[in-house]
């Protein structure tokens, strides 16, 4: 299902530790940016 929602660049990011079954989030953070998906 993730492939239907998130593009490959997002799916290749670090996966966040979410304590809710079935929920996934991806993280990217740098000096000049922060994104969550």
């Amino acid at each position: 299902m993730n492939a239907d929602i998130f593009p490959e660049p997002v799916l290749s990011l670090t996966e966040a530790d979410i304590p809710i079954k079935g929920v996934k989030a991806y993280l990217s953070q740098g000096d000049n940016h922060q994104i969550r998906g």
Side-chain angles (χ1 to χ4, degrees), residues 1 4 6 10 18 23:
M1 181 165 149
D4 295 334
F6 297 117
V10 174
I18 304 292
V23 174

Side-chain angles (χ1 to χ4, degrees), residues 22-33:
V23 174
K24 288 189 176 187
Y26 301 91
L27 305 170
S28 177
Q29 184 171 341
D31 292 338
N32 298 314
H33 78 278

Side-chain angles (χ1 to χ4, degrees), residues 2 12 22 33 35:
N2 285 340
S12 66
H33 78 278
I35 59 172

